[in-house]
Amino acid sequence: VTGVQTCALPILLAAVACGKDNTAPPKATSLTVSVSGTITGKVNTAVTPTPTFTVLDEKGSAMANVPVTVSVSGGGSVVSAAKTSTSGSTPVGTWTLGSTPGPNTLTITVAGLTPVTITATARPAYYVDLRFFGPTIDPAIQTAFTNAKSRIEAMITTSLPDTPVSGLSIEACDVTGGGSVTETIDDIIIYATVKPIDGVGKVVGSSAPCYVRTTGGLPLIAVMSFDVADFQNLQADGRLPDVVLHEMLHAVGVGTLWNSKGQVAFRTTDSTQFIGPQAVQGCLFHGGAAKCPGNVPVENTGVVAGGTRDVHWRETTFRTELMTGFVSAAGTPNPLSRITIGSLTDIGYTVNLAVADSYTVPALFAASAQLLGAATGHPPLELIEPLRAPIGAVDAQGRVTRLSAGWQ
């Protein structure tokens, strides 16, 4: 009996040993995110949809309760950042982009793994989606357009409502080969082309909204079309940046929407004037109390069909200001004043007046541009710009109300 008992003990111990679980716990081997490529969003707004991440083991299964660190750089912040993973896709937290346009990054770190970074481009509050079409444009001329875009994005500070469109014709806006647009527009698309038109010294080009928003009447799609011969000369004498900015301001509504917004009195008369209070305040700021007694003088001469009259500041009053109908002689600056930026407020935008250039309203009545040029031998250039009225208004659901039969 004793021998049997002695033999049974090793057998029992062996059985217990065979029942042990020697399996190693899962180990995090990879980290994936829901985002591929660069995403975009507005400055000072949360990224949507919220990016997520997943921690995976060697079998490709999601792991829960793995410690993680979520951090941001390049501006912005993350609130309620994830501290551990879940058993599926884990939201990173509320990621808000910074106040300066440009790249922002969010990095997810798990011990032992390569960190994963998500990049988001913060767009300005007011975003100009600049699209070139037609013949290839000289890079130096393209730069003038992109600089003008940046200037306008800096002066208009509030976003307009995103507007969905489906099959919206841009061929009707003379965007050759453009077909139609199906997308959500934020805030304006400006199509631009530089092509042969009629040679030097005639029509420089045209720039105006083609579609506007039904609510508020501000531009949704605009087109800028210019003569390559004039632009080559303007590039050569250094006046191209001023002309492009001048024309892009027309695209967002300066001059082109003044009448539809009820801001111009006594049109086509010698006394034509802009009555918006913010433009008047701008004139006073720049020392023009004697010139702006409750209104801002608007051009009352020049080519009517070409769009100089009634849609620019009066040349004989404001001389070098950017939005008169004449670009100053080569070498003379054309400052963007609070008069022009204020007029954007008067037609419905929210603006930053501080981006205006230094400018002083001339104290004395100036001679006409033509007489001034004859006296100096360096005449200003009249910007002959055929004006076009918008062909349609688009509401928040993308429905179009026809305003005219075509872009005349």
Side-chain angles (χ1 to χ4, degrees):
V1 175
T2 304
V4 173
Q5 291 174 335
T6 303
C7 183
L9 184 58
I11 294 173
L12 180 61
L13 292 174
V16 172
C18 289
K20 277 188 174 181
D21 184 0
N22 294 319
T23 304
K27 180 181 179 181
T29 59
S30 63
L31 177 63
T32 64
V33 294
S34 62
V35 176
S36 60
T38 299
I39 57 180
T40 59
K42 290 282 192 181
V43 293
N44 299 319
T45 60
V47 174
T48 56
T50 300
T52 63
F53 66 91
T54 306
V55 180
L56 302 174
D57 63 18
E58 63 272 17
K59 295 180 180 180
S61 299
M63 295 181 62
N65 301 316
V66 177
V68 301
T69 301
V70 176
S71 58
V72 295
S73 61
S77 62
V78 59
V79 177
S80 302
K83 303 296 184 184
T84 59
S85 65
T86 64
S87 58
S89 296
T90 308
V92 298
T94 301
W95 181 19
T96 299
L97 301 180
S99 59
T100 302
N104 288 218
T105 60
L106 180 143
T107 302
I108 305 159
T109 304
V110 174
L113 300 181
T114 301
V116 175
T117 296
I118 303 171
T119 301
T121 298
R123 286 179 172 176
Y126 181 81
Y127 176 62
V128 176
D129 188 347
L130 177 63
R131 303 180 183 182
F132 296 109
F133 71 98
T136 301
I137 301 175
D138 184 298
I141 294 177
Q142 287 192 33
T143 297
F145 279 91
T146 56
N147 288 344
K149 156 188 158 74
S150 297
R151 192 78 190 273
I152 288 174
E153 289 171 338
M155 74 179 74
I156 300 176
T157 59
T158 300
S159 179
L160 300 179
D162 291 355
T163 304
V165 296
S166 180
L168 184 65
S169 173
I170 55 174
E171 289 277 358
C173 305
D174 287 349
V175 180
T176 307
S180 62
V181 175
T182 298
E183 62 186 271
T184 297
I185 299 177
D186 165 37
D187 293 278
I188 185 174
I189 299 174
I190 297 180
Y191 291 94
T193 188
V194 181
K195 60 185 181 181
I197 297 180
D198 58 6
V200 177
K202 298 177 183 177
V203 174
V204 174
S206 62
S207 179
C210 185
Y211 290 99
V212 296
R213 288 171 168 80
T214 301
T215 301
L218 293 176
L220 184 69
I221 294 177
V223 181
M224 304 173 69
S225 180
F226 302 107
D227 193 317
V228 64
D230 286 308
F231 263 38
Q232 286 171 340
N233 281 352
L234 291 167
Q235 180 183 357
D237 67 20
R239 292 187 288 180
L240 182 66
D242 287 343
V243 171
V244 173
L245 179 56
H246 174 109
E247 299 298 341
M248 198 172 288
L249 283 162
H250 281 320
V252 299
V254 174
T256 52
L257 295 183
W258 285 355
N259 185 50
S260 66
K261 289 289 191 173
Q263 297 298 324
V264 181
F266 308 114
R267 292 178 69 240
T268 72
T269 74
D270 288 343
S271 302
T272 184
Q273 55 192 231
F274 187 90
I275 58 176
Q278 295 305 312
V280 173
Q281 287 300 312
C283 185
L284 299 180
F285 176 86
H286 290 295
K291 305 296 180 67
C292 299
N295 62 76
V296 181
V298 170
E299 188 56 67
N300 57 4
T301 63
V303 180
V304 177
T308 307
R309 186 172 189 150
D310 293 331
V311 295
H312 296 92
W313 307 130
R314 195 171 300 173
E315 171 74 14
T316 54
T317 302
F318 299 106
R319 288 279 294 278
T320 62
E321 208 280 343
L322 182 70
M323 294 309 294
T324 70
F326 298 80
V327 61
S328 300
T332 301
N334 296 273
L336 170 64
S337 74
R338 291 197 182 197
I339 308 172
T340 294
I341 300 176
S343 77
L344 287 168
T345 302
D346 292 321
I347 65 173
Y349 292 102
T350 302
V351 302
N352 177 12
L353 294 171
V355 301
D357 295 324
S358 176
Y359 172 71
T360 300
V361 177
L364 300 176
F365 184 82
S368 71
Q370 293 89 341
L371 291 176
L372 189 67
T376 63
H378 299 286
L381 171 67
E382 182 176 4
L383 296 172
I384 302 174
E385 316 151 89
L387 289 186
R388 292 171 159 180
I391 66 172
V394 184
D395 69 12
Q397 287 73 48
R399 295 171 299 201
V400 181
T401 300
R402 184 65 59 182
L403 300 178
S404 65
W407 232 28
Q408 304 299 323

